[in-house]
């Protein structure tokens, strides 16, 4: 199937042309054209994402990215217009969850394109996009051979960690999901960004905070203080990160230090506590589910965090039969490749989606 996919749920505008065929557990995915424009620099000055500003930028960027994607895919312009990509099956667009004004920008653009090209438009759940981002395996850099990936075995447990979401999802089958736990307040990426801001790091501070933490680990074996690992013993699978953020605030205030070494140590204490909460709840979920689970999926922006991946790796020694899947680096943060893949999964499971129909932005969209 050939799919044009569009993602505008937050501060990334992305357009991809994909060709996907084959079984869902090991599809053959070819990225024909792929473009992405991040608004990070724009939102940096406000310390977070402004929905109406994001919408305005998406509206401005979408036609430009569409042209670039089609050009990259080898489509040739005639009369100043790009023709419909040859053998295009449908258009996929993120319908939620996300910032509603931003989502509407993508949906309106997709609907207009669908009308112009006479192609159906299929709504995609952004979180399903993060889950199925792990179906893409990167081509080897050195030659044209593709990494032979194993089939993705289900049921899986998915830990989804991003700037907007933190949840543990039981993936029973393609198209069948159950949320087992979620954050009760801040998402983990948001907590990373807020703690980073307190340390004077610019938005999005998650990766910068993580870098500081690793400098501290390189300098000393252990810290002389710890921050509380939130909800670790709450007895359920929910998360909470706002208390950890407040703990950073108080520690900074009480210590009356703002030298570089103290910042590095604070970053490390924060990262240790946040990662312990994520790894701890994931372990509990795996223990509760038992042998039923074949794969652990970890996806979303924070899956780029090396501390998280290494701690999960250690935890997985207790579950030797479990396969571990994370997305290729370029697919950890928001992108349109994962939206195209999730659309393929949806359409294979529910071909009636190709009949089209009105799509609305749903900021709090949950699994179908
Ligand atoms: O999935 P994503 O691109 O967007 C949302 O859907 O929210 O995730 C972005 C989030 C940001 O909060 C960013 O700080 C965080 O992922 N992030 C990281 C790292 N890389 C990205 N947080 C901690 N460590 C990292 N290495
Ligand atoms: Zn996301």
């Amino acid at each position: 199937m050939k799919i044009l996919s569009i993602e505008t749920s937050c501060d990334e505008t992305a357009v991809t042309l994909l060709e996907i065929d084959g079984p869902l557990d090991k599809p053959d995915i070819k990225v024909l054209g792929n473009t992405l424009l991040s608004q990070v620099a724009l939102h940096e000055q406000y310390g977070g994402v402004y929905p109406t500003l994001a919408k305005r930028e998406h509206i401005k960027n979408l036609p430009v990215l569409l042209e670039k994607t089609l050009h990259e895919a080898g489509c040739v312009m005639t009369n100043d217009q790009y023709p419909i990509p040859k053998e295009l099956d449908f258009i996929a667009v993120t319908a939620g969850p996300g910032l509603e004004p931003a989502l509407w920008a993508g949906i309106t653009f997709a609907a207009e394109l669908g009308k112009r090209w006479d192609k159906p438009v299929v709504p995609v759940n952004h979180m399903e996009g993060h889950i199925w981002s792990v179906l893409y395996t990167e081509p080897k850099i050195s030659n044209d051979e593709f990494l032979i990936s194993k089939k993705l075995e289900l049921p899986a447990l998915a830990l989804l960690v991003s700037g907007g979401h933190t949840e543990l999802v039981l993936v029973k089958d393609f198209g069948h999901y159950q949320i087992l736990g979620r954050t009760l307040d801040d998402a983990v990426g948001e907590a990373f960004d807020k703690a980073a801001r307190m340390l004077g790091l610019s938005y999005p501070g998650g990766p910068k905070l993580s870098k500081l933490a690793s400098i501290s680990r390189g300098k000393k074996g252990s810290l002389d203080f710890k921050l509380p690992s939130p909800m670790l013993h709450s007895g359920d699978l929910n998360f909470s990160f706002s208390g950890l953020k407040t703990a950073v605030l108080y520690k900074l205030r009480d210590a009356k230090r703002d030298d570089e070494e103290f910042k590095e140590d604070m970053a490390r204490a924060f990262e240790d506590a946040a990662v312990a909460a994520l790894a701890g709840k994931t372990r509990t979920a795996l223990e509760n589910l038992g042998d039923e689970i074949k794969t652990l999926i970890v996806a979303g922006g924070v899956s780029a965090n090396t501390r998280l991946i290494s701690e999960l790796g250690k935890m997985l020694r207790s579950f030797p039969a479990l396969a571990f899947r994370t997305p290729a680096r370029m697919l950890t943060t928001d992108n349109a490749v994962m939206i195209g893949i999730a659309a393929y999964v949806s359409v294979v499971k529910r071909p009636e989606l190709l009949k089209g129909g009105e799509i609305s932005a749903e900021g709090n969209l949950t699994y179908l």
Side-chain angles (χ1 to χ4, degrees), residues 131-132 154-160 167-173 175-181 237 285-286 289 292-295 297 367:
I131 294 174
W132 301 126
L154 297 179
L157 175 72
L159 171 67
L160 304 180
E167 54 194 38
L168 275 166
V169 182
L170 171 60
V171 184
K172 295 177 192 166
D173 192 1
H176 291 273
Y177 316 94
Q178 183 189 343
I179 297 183
L180 302 177
L237 296 174
L286 289 172
L289 293 162
E292 181 196 345
I293 301 299
K294 307 285 182 239
T295 306
I297 293 171
Y367 300 91

Side-chain angles (χ1 to χ4, degrees), residues 262-289:
F262 184 62
K263 282 185 190 170
E264 290 160 8
D265 291 350
M266 276 301 293
R268 176 177 175 181
F270 172 87
E271 187 174 59
D272 283 350
V275 165
L278 295 171
K281 294 281 166 149
T282 306
R283 174 189 278 280
T284 306
L286 289 172
E287 284 168 353
N288 293 350
L289 293 162

Side-chain angles (χ1 to χ4, degrees), residues 5-7 9 14 16 18 20 29 31 34 92 94 124-136 162 299-301 327 330-345:
S5 54
I6 296 167
E7 156 64 33
S9 68
T16 299
L18 291 173
I20 317 185
I29 303 169
V31 178
N34 181 31
T94 306
V124 176
N125 179 314
H126 180 84
M127 302 314 287
E128 286 184 51
H130 278 302
I131 294 174
W132 301 126
S133 65
V134 302
L135 289 173
Y136 179 77
S162 73
M330 73 161 194
L331 300 194
T332 55
T333 49
D334 291 348
N335 62 85
V337 176
M338 69 182 196
I339 300 306
I341 301 172
Y344 178 67
V345 171

Side-chain angles (χ1 to χ4, degrees), residues 9-12 47-49 97-99 126-127 130 160-167 183 185-194 203-207 241 299-304 332-334:
S9 68
C10 192
D11 59 347
E12 255 99 30
V49 183
L99 306 169
H126 180 84
M127 302 314 287
H130 278 302
L160 304 180
V161 280
S162 73
H165 295 269
T166 304
E167 54 194 38
T183 182
D185 40 55
D186 293 351
V188 64
E190 188 183 357
F192 262 93
D193 295 339
K194 286 177 177 169
Y203 175 84
F241 292 100
V302 184
S303 71
T332 55
T333 49
D334 291 348

Side-chain angles (χ1 to χ4, degrees), residues 50-111:
Y50 263 67
T52 46
L53 189 60
K55 176 183 179 167
R56 197 190 70 195
E57 289 300 299
H58 288 312
I59 292 172
K60 198 170 77 190
N61 295 339
L62 279 166
V64 182
L65 294 194
L66 175 67
E67 274 195 17
K68 278 193 181 163
T69 302
L70 295 180
H71 178 77
E72 214 177 285
C75 301
V76 181
M77 253 187 170
T78 46
N79 302 330
D80 263 4
Q81 285 242 332
Y82 276 100
I84 313 175
K86 241 190 244 159
E87 290 161 2
L88 181 74
D89 289 282
F90 66 92
I91 298 163
V93 66
T94 306
L99 306 169
E100 284 196 2
L103 290 162
W104 273 118
I107 292 169
T108 308
F109 186 77

